[in-house]
Amino acid sequence: MRVLLVGAGGVGTAITRIAARRSFFDLMVVADYDVARAEAAVAALGPDETRLRAERVDAGDEAAVAALLARHGCDVLLNATDPRFVMPLFRAARTAGATYLDMAMSLSRPHPGRPYEECGLKLGDEQFAQAAEWERAGALALVGMGVEPGLSDVFARYAADDLFDEIEEIGIRDGANLTVDGYGFAPSFSIWTTIEECLNPPVVYEADRGWFTTAPFSEPEVFDFPEGIGPVECVNVEHEEVLLVPRWVDAKRVTFKYGLGSEFIDKLRTLHELGLDGTAPVSVPGTGGTVQVSPRDVVAACLPDPATLGERMHGKTCAGTWVRGTKDGAPREVYLYHVVDNRWSMAEYGSQAVVWQTAVNPVVALELLATGAWSGAGVLGPEAFPARPFLDLLSEYGSPWGLREQ
């Protein structure tokens, strides 16, 4: 397997550190708009690791990405950029005849008249619109293969296949007790992506209604997370699992709730009220004249890079899938989960917990594709593949998952 990894930020760098310990690939080209970041990611692995090399590429330049795939004979494109670049990279992979993987899907657009009742363009709609073309070509786009979406979807598949006869509800529940020394506000993941998913109308799925939306931060509940994290208030957030799970798993209801906390929610609401969550450029006076800047890019530039926070971070992060239904005629309720302790991920890989947890899952998926344990054609989510090989290999990577009867 020869892989083009586009994006050498926190998650991309963690991917290189995880993959370098495995033997399933022959070459990994690490490409970024800032070639210095790609070079740093490769150099950190030491001179004995010769399977990785750095390149510069603009993720929005489809022709350049396709040419880079061809030049290095890469048969897989792994997208580790933010969701703005999903579609150009998705199309570049199809042009080059490469398998495509991402960790976040094409962006949504709210319904113009009823944003908190009806879906507009949903997450992933632009990719699924091209599914027939990928299937006819015998090509695979594995979408939403991070931790959430990704591992959470694998858990849903496993629950449907092995733990339940009938599922009433699948609810992705994400929570943490992470703190960062020296910062009053320092998100542990991309603020650009966090704003996108938290301030867009959340999507809920019900079998007798289909997909519909609610208001941001709706339906608060307190969920008790395992391994010492404890109770965290979680709220509805727009996320890919709600759009993916019902395509392959029978469930009467699917939700996603994120443990944000009231302080974080207040800050996001303030950004929205001030218009600082916007992505359209605004005119700003500069020393050389007026410049056009995106308010959200300014917010991101003013906050610390999440990849640099590991040494200051303490605590654990938990991603998981809560499932309620019946087995052998009796009610059952479980929580399938994956916890990463920041102290462990920093000591073992030099990557903070949230980015490491996101990064390990696409690497596991790549290995399953390389060995043939997973295969397929079309635009497919993680639920379209058998869960057990993934979960077994994740444990082999030294990061086991858990199951708690509720």
Side-chain angles (χ1 to χ4, degrees):
M1 177 179 280
R2 297 170 71 88
V3 181
L4 172 61
L5 169 64
V6 183
V11 173
T13 296
I15 285 170
T16 65
R17 294 172 182 177
I18 297 165
R21 301 190 184 190
R22 309 297 295 185
S23 61
F24 67 87
F25 70 97
D26 301 311
L27 173 71
M28 181 174 287
V29 178
V30 185
D32 197 280
Y33 187 79
D34 180 356
V35 71
R37 293 205 307 179
E39 290 170 342
V42 173
L45 301 173
D48 293 335
E49 179 51 82
T50 59
R51 294 175 299 163
L52 285 86
R53 64 187 64 173
E55 291 276 6
R56 183 193 179 279
V57 77
D58 179 349
D61 187 338
E62 295 176 34
V65 174
L68 191 58
L69 282 161
R71 177 151 59 88
H72 289 285
C74 293
D75 50 347
V76 178
L77 189 161
L78 174 53
N79 176 2
T81 64
D82 75 51
R84 287 175 289 184
F85 300 104
V86 163
M87 289 311 297
L89 292 173
F90 179 80
R91 290 189 293 261
R94 180 77 287 280
T95 298
T99 295
Y100 171 84
L101 276 81
D102 63 29
M103 291 164 272
M105 295 167 64
S106 59
L107 293 170
S108 65
R109 287 196 294 274
H111 189 280
R114 293 167 54 85
Y116 303 132
E117 293 85 20
E118 298 181 31
C119 295
L121 184 74
K122 301 187 300 298
L123 291 169
D125 274 357
E126 289 184 90
Q127 290 171 288
F128 283 117
Q130 299 182 29
E133 177 187 340
W134 283 76
E135 191 167 3
R136 283 194 301 270
L140 173 63
L142 173 49
V143 297
M145 193 58 255
V147 60
E148 291 175 341
L151 177 57
S152 51
D153 304 74
V154 173
F155 284 148
R157 175 80 272 161
Y158 177 67
D161 289 348
D162 288 53
L163 304 180
F164 290 85
D165 297 322
E166 185 173 299
I167 293 175
E168 291 288 326
E169 183 169 357
I170 294 175
I172 316 306
R173 300 294 184 264
D174 178 303
N177 61 358
L178 295 168
T179 59
V180 181
D181 292 341
Y183 289 100
F185 183 63
S188 58
F189 201 68
S190 162
I191 189 62
W192 200 101
T193 303
T194 301
I195 289 173
E196 182 73 18
E197 62 191 23
C198 291
L199 292 178
N200 277 352
V203 179
V204 174
Y205 173 83
E206 292 180 356
D208 59 355
R209 186 176 173 183
W211 287 293
F212 61 94
T213 57
T214 69
F217 316 121
S218 58
E219 298 181 2
E221 68 175 58
V222 175
F223 192 86
D224 187 19
F225 289 91
E227 298 194 21
I229 295 173
V232 179
E233 184 177 73
C234 299
V235 294
N236 279 328
V237 167
E238 181 191 49
H239 231 254
E240 286 90 344
E241 291 94 328
V242 179
L243 289 312
L244 285 170
V245 169
R247 296 176 187 269
W248 289 281
V249 177
D250 288 332
K252 295 181 181 178
R253 193 169 196 263
V254 182
T255 59
F256 180 98
K257 292 189 180 182
Y258 197 2
L260 294 172
S262 59
E263 184 180 356
F264 199 106
I265 290 172
D266 287 344
K267 285 182 169 60
L268 290 174
R269 282 178 168 151
T270 298
L271 290 174
H272 178 65
E273 289 167 3
L274 295 174
L276 294 174
D277 60 326
T279 58
V282 298
S283 298
V284 178
T287 55
T290 300
V291 295
Q292 298 287 310
V293 296
S294 158
R296 194 184 302 184
D297 287 344
V298 172
V299 173
C302 291
L303 290 171
D305 180 350
T308 67
L309 297 176
E311 297 290 349
R312 296 171 173 261
M313 191 180 289
H314 308 279
K316 300 176 181 179
T317 184
C318 178
T321 303
W322 164 75
V323 187
R324 177 173 59 87
T326 57
K327 178 68 174 177
D328 298 328
R332 191 180 194 188
E333 188 176 337
V334 304
Y335 183 57
L336 298 145
Y337 64 89
H338 183 251
V339 171
V340 178
D341 188 326
N342 187 73
R343 181 170 54 182
W344 174 85
S345 65
M346 286 299 297
E348 187 71 15
Y349 285 92
S351 297
Q352 56 105 318
V354 177
V355 299
W356 189 90
Q357 188 182 48
T358 304
V360 68
N361 295 286
V363 180
V364 171
L366 284 175
E367 185 160 347
L368 292 174
L369 292 173
T371 62
W374 276 12
S375 62
V379 178
L380 303 178
E383 303 87 347
F385 301 89
R388 194 77 227 192
F390 188 99
L391 296 175
D392 289 346
L393 189 54
L394 180 64
S395 296
E396 184 183 311
Y397 273 51
S399 189
W401 55 282
L403 187 157
R404 181 180 70 187
E405 298 282 351
Q406 297 287 89

